[in-house]
Amino acid sequence: THKWVAAGAVAAMLTAGAVWFWWARPDAPSLLAISPQQGSWRESALSWSGEWMAFSDGETPSRRDIWVSRGDGSSAERLFADPFLDQDPTISSDGRFVAFRSNRVPEGVYEFDRSTRSIRSVVPGGHLPRYSPDGRWLLYATTNDQADPPRALKNQWFVAPARGGQARALAEDLAVTRAIWSPDSQSVLLQTRLPQRLSFNSLWRRRLDSPRPELVSDWGGQVFFLCGVTPDG
């Protein structure tokens, strides 16, 4: 009996110690809810400054609205409420502009100016808009990011001035499936696939001041997804 009591006491002390260590250590991970409690939230996008976040919400598959909040999830605001399917938002570092994909007419990329409360068509037919860190450029694709081989091989990525202007193709000869900005807004990283073997991935970089992309690394035969780059590079 004494042995069982002692073993129980030791177990209780170890459990209490583990719990205290978990909560007391300075690098203990924590989760913070950043969206309102009610809603079906998707496609969150954090601005490069970290001060703003945009995400979409919708009650039905055919309708979604765009929301904006502070980077910590406070002060959530629905930008507009209409019958359209608005999705894939991106928000500028200063929080003023929000670009998104919409099935409005014409279908494509739109931009909402939070200062003037106005919406304008930016890229008819465009998908997956992404502001550059400095807010000067808008990256977008001609199709979505679904893993469909025919769609992936036909997908093209472009960069255009955010306030309007001529767009330029980034890699016309490559099958680009994903693209992200570099922290200095001077380059775009491109994940590509070989038309003959779609499982072969490569990473390319296209500088805005260069006429062609350059190969960064070849991960042939490996499956990976290009996610992001930290602000310090």
Side-chain angles (χ1 to χ4, degrees):
T1 303
H2 292 296
K3 290 181 179 180
W4 283 110
V5 171
V10 171
M13 287 168 42
L14 290 175
T15 301
V19 171
W20 177 87
F21 175 78
W22 177 261
W23 288 106
R25 62 189 181 127
D27 59 342
S30 60
L31 292 176
L32 173 67
I34 57 175
S35 61
Q37 293 184 355
Q38 303 298 323
S40 175
W41 310 104
R42 301 180 187 176
E43 305 161 333
S44 60
L46 190 66
S47 68
W48 276 86
S49 65
E51 297 181 9
W52 299 96
M53 181 176 294
F55 45 91
S56 67
D57 163 61
E59 299 177 355
T60 67
S62 61
R63 173 183 172 180
R64 300 194 70 82
D65 296 324
I66 303 298
W67 289 63
V68 165
S69 73
R70 290 285 182 178
D72 60 1
S74 62
S75 306
E77 168 199 5
R78 183 164 60 182
L79 299 185
F80 38 79
D82 50 38
F84 299 108
L85 180 62
D86 300 326
Q87 55 190 342
D88 263 330
T90 179
I91 186 166
S92 60
S93 291
D94 60 5
R96 174 175 175 177
F97 297 100
V98 179
F100 55 94
R101 163 79 181 177
S102 178
N103 65 349
R104 301 161 190 263
V105 180
E107 188 170 347
V109 174
Y110 284 76
E111 184 180 66
F112 179 78
D113 187 335
R114 297 180 65 205
S115 296
T116 62
R117 313 299 295 182
S118 60
I119 301 176
R120 69 181 183 95
S121 174
V122 181
V123 183
H127 290 257
L128 305 173
R130 294 294 179 263
Y131 285 112
S132 62
D134 62 8
R136 295 181 54 200
W137 305 96
L138 189 65
L139 173 71
Y140 65 92
T142 55
T143 66
N144 59 33
D145 60 352
Q146 299 301 312
D148 183 294
R151 184 185 293 119
L153 295 180
K154 296 178 181 179
N155 194 16
Q156 291 291 322
W157 287 80
F158 293 84
V159 165
R163 304 281 73 80
Q166 184 66 35
R168 70 180 82 172
L170 294 178
E172 295 179 287
D173 300 330
L174 299 175
V176 180
T177 56
R178 285 175 175 81
I180 58 175
W181 283 103
S182 63
D184 60 5
S185 302
Q186 300 302 309
S187 303
V188 177
L189 297 177
L190 309 167
Q191 176 185 342
T192 69
R193 293 181 176 180
L194 291 178
Q196 301 83 1
R197 304 185 68 178
L198 292 179
S199 62
F200 277 54
N201 291 278
S202 297
L203 184 64
W204 295 70
R205 176 174 57 205
R206 169 65 191 275
R207 293 187 57 85
L208 298 188
D209 58 2
S210 174
R212 297 186 59 81
E214 58 180 334
L215 181 65
V216 175
S217 184
D218 189 352
W219 288 301
Q222 298 187 36
V223 177
F224 75 94
F225 296 94
L226 186 61
C227 297
V229 182
T230 56
D232 61 1

